[in-house]
Amino acid sequence: MTKANLNWVVLGPGAIGGLIAGALLEHGQSVSVLPRKNRTREINWQVTHKQFKADYSAPVITQLLAENTVFVIAVKAFDVIQALQRITTLRGFNKAMPIIISHNGMVELPEPLKELNLHPLVTTHGAVRSRNENADLCIEHRGAGRSWLEVDPAVRNQPTDFDPGLVLQQAFPPLTLEQDLSQRRWLKFVINCVINPLTAVHQCANGELLKGSWQAQVYSLVAEAVAVANSQNVSLTTEECYKEVLLVAKETALNHSSMLQDIQQQRRTEIQQLTGYLINAGKTAGVATPTHQQLLNEFQQRYSG
Ligand SMILES: NC(=O)C1=CN([C@@H]2O[C@H](COP(=O)(O)OP(=O)(O)OC[C@H]3O[C@@H](n4cnc5c(N)ncnc54)[C@H](OP(=O)(O)O)[C@@H]3O)[C@@H](O)[C@H]2O)C=CC1
Ligand SMILES: CC(C)(CO)C(=O)C(=O)O
């Protein structure tokens, strides 16, 4: 079997999904897409990164899924359950098919969906989507980040050339394969609970948060979020998370966070799956989160919800 024998189906695709789908095509993979509405036979999209510009096209999946299908789902947290339910209804779907899933925020999955072959992907890439007359989707890759993918232990111990994790690692670097991503997911959650609502409320690019005037609030948000993580037996420290927040803000300095993009384009935001989830988890565990509550209040005053 060669690398091209994997059949990738990218659900969406949006900013992150389109970036990954383009990278897989560059790597010679077979890619189909599953948009929310199947209005056309194919989707055309464009990715720009600094001077680099590439046009891509992939068919919309309509036929029976091939046995060696690998899904990539990169949707907003509030769309995750519906997206997973949708792929389970596709003709030829079986529960062993790997599903690489990337989203910010925390989502409680119903029991049947937990049985799927899910591989969480955490990414700090920054991408903005729009559309123009030449392409259904234009993705500006504003921040080249890093990614981590949860894989089965066998893949790490006995890698093979046609393993989806390894193919993605080559196609979409830098990507680290890990056996248990729970700590990494919490770290990313902390980062998003700080960068996303702050940049949304203050309508600024991520890099603005590097300025000295923000540091007291940023540090306080990190410390409270880490206290909640610790209450869930996730061992993170405030110092390491604070450093990571600043590193991600630097790496994606020109990017508008996905939450700010949602505000700008009048779309639903992930505030409830981020700050809302954190405050509730804190309440349940008896951990106070006043700085996040204050930020949520500002967010709600400004955007009424
Ligand atoms: N953009 C960024 O820089 C980053 C984003 N993230 C996170 O990654 C996740 C994805 O973000 P992003 O790529 O920006 O989001 P986008 O909104 O750009 O992309 C999501 C796409 O999935 C589509 N979609 C949603 N539900 C379905 C469904 N059931 N069937 C088919 N298509 C569906 C959406 O359609 P529609 O347009 O109709 O809603 C949209 O096209 C989010 O959790 C985000 O917070 C993480 C790191 C950086
Ligand atoms: C990494 C970061 C902060 C990039 O903007 C992101 O995850 C987001 O915008 O949702």
Side-chain angles (χ1 to χ4, degrees):
M1 202 194 279
T2 66
K3 285 186 294 184
N5 283 123
L6 292 174
N7 286 288
W8 297 81
V9 175
V10 179
L11 184 137
I16 297 295
L19 206 58
I20 296 177
L24 287 166
L25 284 168
E26 294 282 353
H27 197 62
Q29 295 293 298
S30 158
V31 178
S32 310
V33 291
L34 184 62
R36 200 188 283 273
K37 294 195 178 89
N38 298 9
R39 286 201 199 98
T40 51
R41 283 165 178 267
E42 61 172 26
I43 298 274
N44 303 302
W45 72 105
Q46 204 168 65
V47 176
T48 51
H49 180 82
K50 296 184 179 159
Q51 311 308 328
F52 169 87
K53 189 179 203 174
D55 290 297
Y56 301 105
S57 168
V60 171
I61 185 104
T62 48
Q63 75 280 33
L64 191 67
L65 293 171
E67 251 178 51
N68 45 8
T69 294
V70 181
F71 291 97
V72 175
I73 298 185
V75 296
K76 293 289 164 49
F78 45 79
D79 277 331
V80 162
I81 292 177
Q82 204 194 22
L84 285 171
Q85 280 165 341
R86 183 169 179 206
I87 62 171
T88 64
T89 64
L90 296 176
R91 283 190 307 134
F93 176 81
N94 78 64
K95 279 187 186 169
M97 288 175 172
I99 302 169
I100 294 174
I101 179 150
S102 183
H103 60 85
N104 286 342
M106 296 290 188
V107 180
E108 294 292 339
L109 293 182
E111 283 307 320
L113 295 181
K114 285 186 189 162
E115 287 163 21
L116 299 176
N117 186 8
L118 300 174
H119 297 270
L121 173 80
V122 168
T123 185
T124 61
H125 282 272
V128 179
R129 81 170 151 123
S130 59
R131 54 187 307 156
N132 68 18
E133 63 283 0
N134 301 320
D136 303 312
L137 174 67
C138 301
I139 300 165
E140 192 187 337
H141 189 191
R142 289 194 179 171
R146 295 160 288 145
S147 310
W148 294 260
L149 177 67
E150 190 169 285
V151 289
D152 302 328
V155 173
R156 291 198 68 209
N157 300 336
Q158 289 181 306
T160 63
D161 272 356
F162 45 90
D163 182 84
L166 289 162
V167 174
L168 194 63
Q169 189 174 44
Q170 287 160 21
F172 191 58
L175 184 147
T176 307
L177 303 178
E178 284 180 12
Q179 237 163 280
D180 180 1
L181 226 57
S182 34
Q183 185 159 345
R184 175 68 53 191
R185 287 171 75 190
W186 261 94
L187 173 59
K188 180 72 194 322
F189 178 67
V190 174
I191 294 169
N192 287 123
C193 282
V194 178
I195 295 183
N196 295 27
L198 266 183
T199 54
V201 166
H202 297 282
Q203 306 232 341
C204 62
N206 295 354
E208 280 289 303
L209 301 184
L210 295 167
K211 289 185 178 160
S213 52
W214 290 101
Q215 298 322 305
Q217 190 179 5
V218 167
Y219 194 85
S220 204
L221 289 167
V222 172
E224 287 173 14
V226 167
V228 177
N230 294 162
S231 76
Q232 318 274 313
N233 297 322
V234 177
S235 68
L236 292 172
T237 67
T238 302
E239 289 311 316
E240 69 176 316
C241 291
Y242 178 59
K243 264 195 215 148
E244 279 290 324
V245 167
L246 297 187
L247 181 60
V248 171
K250 189 173 168 196
E251 284 176 339
T252 62
L254 297 180
N255 193 42
H256 283 178
S257 72
S258 52
M259 192 176 285
L260 176 54
Q261 289 178 55
D262 291 335
I263 292 288
Q264 287 164 336
Q265 295 178 33
Q266 298 178 327
R267 295 189 304 232
R268 182 175 169 188
T269 73
E270 293 175 306
I271 192 76
Q272 288 309 332
Q273 288 75 22
L274 289 166
T275 311
Y277 184 98
L278 184 83
I279 292 171
N280 285 336
K283 273 187 193 145
T284 309
V287 177
T289 53
T291 323
H292 288 274
Q293 185 63 58
Q294 165 75 23
L295 186 55
L296 181 62
N297 295 347
E298 283 176 52
F299 185 95
Q300 286 171 334
Q301 271 159 18
R302 186 153 190 171
Y303 304 118
S304 24

